[in-house]
Amino acid sequence: MRRTDLDQVILGKGNYVDDLDFKGFYGVFVRSQYPHAKFKLDVSSVLEKGAKIKTDADFPQVNGEKTENEGTMLTLPLAYKKVRYLGEPIALVISEDPYKATDLAELVSVDYEQLPPVTNIDFAIKNEVLVFEEIGSNEVYRKTFEYGKMPSDRQLDLELYWSRSSGNPIETFGVIAYPDGTIISNVQAPQFQAKEIEKVLGKSRVIPVRHGGSFGSKFSVTKYALALGLASKKFGIPIKWLETRTEHLEASNSSGPERKFNVKAHFLSDGTVTGLEFKIWEDVGSTLFNGQAFKPTGIIAGPYKITNLKYDVSLVATNKNPPGAFRGAGTPPHTWALERTMDAIADDLGIDRSEIRKKNLLSTLPYESPYAFYDSGNPRQLLELAISRSDVFSLRKKGFGIGIACSTDPSTPSGEEGVRLTIKNGKVIVGIGYGPEGQGNEHLAKILTSKLLSIPVDLVDVEILDSEHSPTSFGPGGSRMAVFMAGALKGAAEEVISKVRRRTGGEYTEGYFVTRKGEKISLLSMDEEVSYVFSLQGKTRFNAYPFACDIAVVRSDESGIIRPVKLIVYLDPGTPLDEELVKEQVIGGSAIGISVALYEKYIYNSEGQLLTTSLSDYGMPTAVEIPQIEVNLVPTPSPYTPMGAKGIGEIPVGVAAAAVTSAVEDLMKRRIREVPITSE
């Protein structure tokens, strides 16, 4: 079905942060020129020129909390006496004109005492230079998960590395703050974030707007909302701030995971994998905690029936932009490493890479692993469909590389989500508590409401509610909305029908209440409002497990550069609530996986300076670099979700990256141990 939520966007009426009418002042952040240094500020000349300014001395020490268990601990709104990454905000300069604010920010005098930078995991764990002296170590957190006992079978060791990347939403961060505590922003999870903001600002209200993409990155807007909110309250003026692209790459606090692996695999000569040991070093930049390395505890063995497992995680601080909760929030690197391991075992034994998977894939679901409960699916069927594609595998004879990878992902974390249904003026209005991010949740809300109430879809509208007036809402995150929106809308539709039935005494059918006298009363002729909050708590944290199997095709061009040619996806989304919407999400996630495998990368030099400060430097691909992506849906409804749906927004990333890496190995005939892949 054609998307019903994009007409205003196409017409240029999307109402992003920068589209909103605004009269007030503008903020510009003074940012560190060095990755690691002590500093002193002199703002006297800027104050003399009429600027308003806030510095570290004006801010309370803010201690944040984990976001959906995968985010970064909230860092200080402004650096305090010491900077720990390039671009870290030091001061906020405010003026009545954005260009004047920029000019004045450049006049702020900062006296730096440079310190040696900690630029990578290997140097960090030597503890020769400390990012946080008060911790006494650059290993800021460690936790180990163990299940079963490691056997003394054949063993293989792998050293692997997944590079830091960035969500790069179309619209970067944006905040408009008012003295009364009102925040207008493209922040993710606005009701949740309002509670965090209130701890510092006092009574606050967050008004969400259209995002222009998030991928998890906009959980990290909160520190900027705090800085602008405190400044607005202090000076009694409204303040607007929009992040530049360079600021986003340098200092968004939302980069993707950077992870170093040591994997030990235990296996038999017939290909049965009997144990897996993961030692993880996660580069968490200049923060004390980031949870992306822990979400894989919901898929330690992925789609495989392996029960002897060890997952040992060290979070390592460096002088880099702290990571956030980029798409998948830490599971894509794990899927990639697990599939690298399966390929290595197959090669070691001299068997086909599809056979090693067939030997170890889950065969009966539901399946209770030592660490999670897998709800439904048939991963072997997806593999069989993939390897039946003789049209693809025959391309090897023409010099193409072909790779295959399998996956699952822990979607739909336990929680709750609410909606408000209002019937007024002949329409049904669905009230949601978050800003549109581009996934099509508003489209889904309209078509589900239409189906549940048996009314035309063009008589359903979506309204964005602020943090005060929304029912309980977290919004997108963790591939949760298909399940939670379906549950909330189903409950709200049933409740509104029940309420009107009591008023009319009629039975509901096809949009009308039919009374005993035969009178037909349209639901849309009534005035009614209900709010409904859907809750879901499974056996373990995650409730629905999609499965996927990808085939990637690559070639080498005349200059020796690896080019992706095609990606074929077989994916179990549970019940697809809208097939085209599911395919859009799979294509988008797969494109990220291909891109992370081949193109995207943060690059820091030996002095800790970021060299990738623009999208072209960073390696952001265009549509030309992304190949044709074929998506085949093979549904296995979940028995534990309201309509059988599973969350699928994050699973495509890691499996696509793994399939592309496998294809490059097939083409180049050498082991690939890190992404993005180089031709060296």
Side-chain angles (χ1 to χ4, degrees), residues 234 390 644:
K234 175 182 178 179
S390 57

Side-chain angles (χ1 to χ4, degrees), residues 186-203:
N186 52 24
V187 67
Q188 199 165 341
Q191 194 175 78
F192 175 90
Q193 304 293 14
K195 294 174 183 176
E196 294 298 304
I197 292 167
E198 283 184 347
K199 294 174 184 177
V200 178
L201 289 188
K203 183 64 176 175

